[in-house]
Amino acid sequence: MCGIIGYIGTKEASPILLSGLKRMEYRGYDSYGFCFLNDGKASLFKRVGKIDNTEKEFLGKDFVGQIGIGHSRWATTGLVTQENAHPHCDCKKEIFVVHNGIVENYKELKAKLIKEGHIFESETDTEVIAHLIEKYYVNNLEGAVGKALRDIRGTYGLAVISTKDPEKIVAARMSSPLIIGVGVDEFLVASDPSAIITRTRQIINLDDGEIAILKKDGFCILKEEKEAQKNIETIDWDIEQAEKGGYEHFMLKEIMEEPSVIEDAMRGRLLEDEGLVKLGGLESVQDQLRKIDNITLIGCGTAHYAAKIGEYMLEEYANIPTLTDIGSEFRYRKPIVNKSTAAIFVSQSGETADTLAALREMKAKGVLTLGVTNVVGSSQSRETDAGVYTRSGPEIAVASTKAFLGQLTILSLITIYLGRQRDMSIVTGKRIISELMKIPELAREILKQKNEIKKIAEKYKNCRDFWFIGRKYNYPIALEGALKLKEVSYVHAEGLAGGELKHGPLALIDENCPTIAICPTDSVYEKMISNIEEIKARKGKIIAIATVGNEEIEKIADDVIYIPKTLEMLTPILSVIPLHLFAYYFADSLDRDIDKPKNLAKSVTVE
Ligand code: G6P
């Protein structure tokens, strides 16, 4: 999400850090900052916005030093402000930290540190790291970093410098990418190879739990306080590939990030033992939410399909009558709302004009408005009464993939939240939470089948019409599968509820028009099988998305992609992954401009 870079060597650090951060620009960011050490003194620079022509300032007399760290921020905790930009420091402004990741327990840690007399300047989770290092500092920086990290729950890729121990950079990693660059008389640390590739191609991948100490004349990597032996690898990608993490397209990179997006959306929000979820963004409206008796969910495109799945979840598990609409339709309808209505707006960007218009309409009617948004500080997040961030990281490909997974995860958390305020038992709450916790691993298992999915997509590359069918929770997944395929491949695809086939679409089925049938073993499985048979009877080909262990399906389907078993309500989070991969590989086999499909925009800010 955020970009990190650090330099220690014999050259001036500022131009190296500046150009490194610029090369991570493609990821998107809202603010940035640097800290340099020179003669034991620190100079700190932070700005909101994009890096532009500020080089002179850095290269001027105030920002010199051959040691430095830099950061480009994509806000997750705390708004986009100069105070919240990294590096963050301790009370005495002696320790400076840049961080990528989420400190789950930062609120508790912050409260404790404030009691102990620490003074905070930002709203971020990262600042607690700087104060913890200050608290534990005795002899050297790495010792204090090691102790501070023991108090932290969550993820981090971080780089730390200090005027108290000024000849080094200390870096550490836990579930957030971090690499060390080994140059000639210089060492770098970065969250992304694109940031350092022009200085060195020799890198070390830091593993979870490792702490690296970089000095001008050498480096060492510690694991559990002992020196770890690491291999130096050579990057053979070019810059363009490096930006995409070695993948050919951002879309594929983002699909491969789907398991960690689910994890990040849940991080610090599950209270497993009580079967509850903690959603800080809803605390201010907690009591109002107890009183609501109907919900309207609104979104556009992929976000609308996530909302539709939210509708099924909320009705089944929270017992709240819910309806879903598309932003562009809702804004011109006559919504029947009352004081007990809550409206939930789902949007990756938080800037989609039709969704915002619907939000303003609901606000004008005095309805409680909530947002499920990826972009911190976006119009939607500012204008809703309360909300939950999806923390999916910047999504670059125009067609939304990983953000959809973040939205589904948050909607399932909101379902538990509202359900537990009502009739949902602790047992049901615990059950959903324990199944949710398994989902990231199950999602990783699906991604391991990417080569088989690629083969299936290539097998059908000459087809020009596709149907996607699903029922109940997987009906919106059929819609999403079809949307994804047409967006990136420009081939006609339609999604529909399996039960609707007989009301018209069956007339179009023949051997040239394959159907992707999402038919996990769930409460509507038998019904899906009847629909599949209707298609087979008309010589239609079937690609089935089925539950592992269902061998019967192989007798009627032409191709089968298996997904692991989970709770019915959570199946869409898994079943959509093969469809994202299918759309990607199908479009790739047709050599389409996958990340920037023709006629489409990432964020549609006009009506
Ligand atoms: C555009 C994008 C879609 C996205 C939709 C809604 O059409 O191309 O991928 O689903 O907008 O965007 P939002 O930012 O509101 O989720």
Side-chain angles (χ1 to χ4, degrees):
M1 294 187 212
C2 300
I4 290 181
I5 181 162
Y7 174 86
I8 184 162
T10 52
K11 306 263 177 337
E12 268 305 302
S14 60
I16 298 168
L17 297 192
L18 190 68
S19 65
L21 275 195
K22 276 193 150 201
R23 272 193 303 278
M24 290 192 277
E25 251 175 358
Y26 70 94
R27 300 154 56 112
Y29 61 95
D30 47 49
S31 50
Y32 65 99
F34 301 91
C35 182
F36 303 100
L37 293 183
N38 189 36
D39 275 341
K41 289 204 187 69
S43 50
L44 183 65
F45 178 97
K46 301 190 197 192
R47 275 279 194 284
V48 167
K50 304 268 174 253
I51 301 171
D52 71 295
N53 292 330
T54 44
E55 280 93 327
K56 276 192 199 130
E57 257 173 292
F58 295 116
L59 302 174
K61 60 181 172 30
D62 297 336
F63 297 99
V64 291
Q66 297 176 344
I67 304 173
I69 52 175
H71 185 272
S72 51
R73 177 169 188 248
W74 202 81
T76 46
T77 307
L79 294 174
V80 180
T81 61
Q82 193 159 311
E83 291 73 41
N84 289 339
H86 299 216
H88 287 289
C89 58
D90 63 322
C91 303
K92 294 194 206 122
K93 303 202 171 11
E94 293 173 333
I95 295 162
F96 301 87
V97 180
V98 288
H99 166 229
N100 176 24
I102 300 168
V103 180
E104 282 175 23
N105 55 339
Y106 86 98
K107 281 195 180 152
E108 298 145 53
L109 292 172
K110 187 169 174 174
K112 204 166 155 224
L113 286 160
I114 288 174
K115 261 197 192 155
E116 290 167 8
H118 289 260
I119 296 163
F120 281 75
E121 288 186 353
S122 78
E123 302 159 329
T124 62
D125 52 343
T126 301
E127 198 183 341
V128 300
I129 306 176
H131 290 276
L132 283 172
I133 298 171
E134 175 180 33
K135 173 176 165 177
Y136 290 120
Y137 195 95
V138 186
N139 295 319
N140 61 42
L141 189 57
E142 60 271 26
V145 170
K147 283 198 184 114
L149 295 181
R150 272 182 231 147
D151 286 358
I152 287 170
R153 229 177 30 239
T155 59
Y156 49 81
L158 51 90
V160 190
I161 53 174
S162 172
T163 53
K164 289 156 78 145
D165 194 0
E167 300 300 324
K168 61 176 74 144
I169 297 178
V170 176
R173 177 201 148 122
M174 183 63 72
S175 302
S176 256
L178 206 63
I179 54 162
I180 306 297
V182 182
V184 179
D185 295 331
E186 61 186 26
F187 297 94
L188 296 105
V189 54
S191 50
D192 186 325
S194 64
I196 61 166
I197 205 164
T198 54
R199 294 214 72 81
T200 178
R201 288 180 171 271
Q202 305 293 104
I203 64 146
I204 296 170
N205 277 302
L206 221 56
D207 285 313
D208 283 353
E210 289 179 342
I211 296 183
I213 303 145
L214 312 182
K215 295 187 180 171
K216 272 190 179 150
D217 53 1
F219 70 95
C220 110
I221 293 171
L222 302 176
K223 176 118 194 189
E224 285 157 9
E225 290 165 25
K226 289 198 192 83
E227 195 167 338
Q229 293 308 316
K230 304 281 292 182
N231 292 332
I232 299 183
E233 294 162 37
T234 305
I235 306 180
D236 52 10
W237 313 327
D238 57 25
I239 288 198
E240 209 201 330
Q241 269 178 310
E243 288 180 350
K244 294 172 189 151
Y247 294 104
E248 212 184 319
H249 296 99
F250 283 112
M251 183 178 174
L252 184 57
K253 176 175 181 268
E254 286 160 6
I255 295 172
M256 298 308 281
E257 285 168 0
E258 288 180 342
S260 53
V261 162
I262 305 166
E263 260 160 5
D264 285 341
M266 298 191 292
R267 199 171 295 290
R269 289 168 166 168
L270 304 179
L271 301 175
E272 210 189 337
D273 295 340
E274 292 126 275
L276 291 171
V277 298
K278 197 170 70 184
L279 298 171
L282 299 187
E283 265 164 30
S284 61
V285 294
Q286 194 174 335
D287 294 331
Q288 261 172 293
L289 286 172
R290 279 181 209 287
K291 295 181 199 128
I292 59 149
D293 65 13
N294 70 93
I295 294 177
T296 300
L297 281 155
I298 292 161
C300 297
T302 287
H304 167 238
Y305 301 144
K308 186 79 191 153
I309 293 168
E311 173 189 319
Y312 284 96
M313 291 178 177
L314 284 161
E315 292 206 330
E316 185 162 4
Y317 283 95
N319 264 332
I320 307 173
T322 304
L323 74 85
T324 304
D325 210 347
I326 303 160
S328 56
E329 278 301 303
F330 184 84
R331 62 188 294 190
Y332 296 115
R333 274 176 52 180
K334 181 191 164 201
I336 314 264
V337 293
N338 57 38
K339 287 203 176 63
S340 318
T341 306
I344 306 181
F345 298 86
V346 184
S347 171
Q348 187 283 127
S349 61
E351 301 295 349
T352 300
D354 287 324
T355 310
L356 287 175
L359 162 60
R360 288 166 192 155
E361 188 60 30
M362 281 302 224
K363 280 196 83 145
K365 297 201 179 318
V367 166
L368 175 68
T369 56
L370 310 175
V372 174
T373 319
N374 193 29
V375 180
V376 175
S378 57
S379 303
Q380 178 170 297
S381 66
R382 282 182 277 117
E383 292 182 35
T384 40
D385 296 309
V388 188
Y389 286 119
T390 52
R391 306 172 179 158
S392 308
E395 196 178 57
I396 314 273
V398 166
S400 186
T401 53
K402 66 172 182 172
F404 181 69
L405 281 282
Q407 290 159 354
L408 290 182
T409 308
I410 297 301
L411 288 165
S412 63
L413 298 190
I414 293 178
T415 301
I416 303 171
Y417 184 92
L418 296 177
R420 291 288 282 127
Q421 282 190 334
R422 293 168 173 71
D423 304 331
M424 186 191 286
S425 68
I426 181 169
V427 177
T428 306
K430 282 170 88 165
R431 169 104 206 275
I432 304 173
I433 289 173
S434 87
E435 291 297 320
L436 256 174
M437 288 168 71
K438 293 181 204 152
I439 292 278
E441 256 339 287
L442 303 181
R444 287 191 178 96
E445 280 174 34
I446 299 172
L447 291 175
K448 283 187 199 147
Q449 302 173 57
K450 72 182 200 320
N451 291 335
E452 288 92 85
I453 296 170
K454 180 178 182 197
K455 273 190 209 135
I456 298 174
E458 284 169 355
K459 176 173 160 189
Y460 292 91
K461 73 182 243 195
N462 295 322
C463 297
R464 288 297 168 268
D465 290 290
F466 283 86
W467 290 104
F468 286 72
I469 59 166
R471 301 181 79 127
K472 203 172 167 185
Y473 284 106
N474 283 295
Y475 159 45
I477 293 299
L479 302 178
E480 165 64 4
L483 176 68
K484 212 63 12 175
L485 190 67
K486 61 190 150 201
E487 270 182 297
V488 294
S489 75
Y490 320 151
V491 161
H492 171 246
E494 264 184 72
L496 96 153
E500 279 293 291
L501 266 175
K502 55 187 176 291
H503 299 297
L506 265 184
L508 294 173
I509 299 287
D510 63 23
E511 59 271 34
N512 300 316
C513 172
T515 301
I516 302 199
I518 305 130
C519 52
T521 312
D522 61 8
S523 64
V524 286
Y525 176 72
E526 299 301 331
K527 303 285 164 206
M528 278 298 296
I529 293 300
S530 310
N531 297 143
I532 290 172
E533 274 159 1
E534 286 161 9
I535 294 167
K536 288 306 291 180
R538 285 151 186 93
K539 299 203 175 85
K541 298 260 187 312
I542 295 286
I543 304 161
I545 312 292
T547 306
V548 168
N550 177 4
E551 284 161 22
E552 281 295 298
I553 193 81
E554 291 179 18
K555 294 186 190 143
I556 39 173
D558 298 86
D559 292 282
V560 182
I561 302 168
Y562 284 108
I563 57 167
K565 175 110 194 104
T566 181
L567 212 59
E568 178 166 324
M569 149 192 177
L570 304 177
T571 49
I573 307 184
L574 297 179
S575 61
V576 76
I577 300 173
L579 302 191
H580 283 166
L581 285 171
F582 184 90
Y584 172 77
Y585 285 120
F586 186 83
D588 196 36
S589 73
L590 300 180
D591 220 11
R592 302 297 194 225
D593 189 359
I594 294 185
D595 287 334
K596 291 196 179 91
K598 64 176 186 191
N599 308 338
L600 302 179
K602 179 77 190 149
S603 185
V604 185
T605 53
V606 290
E607 185 172 358

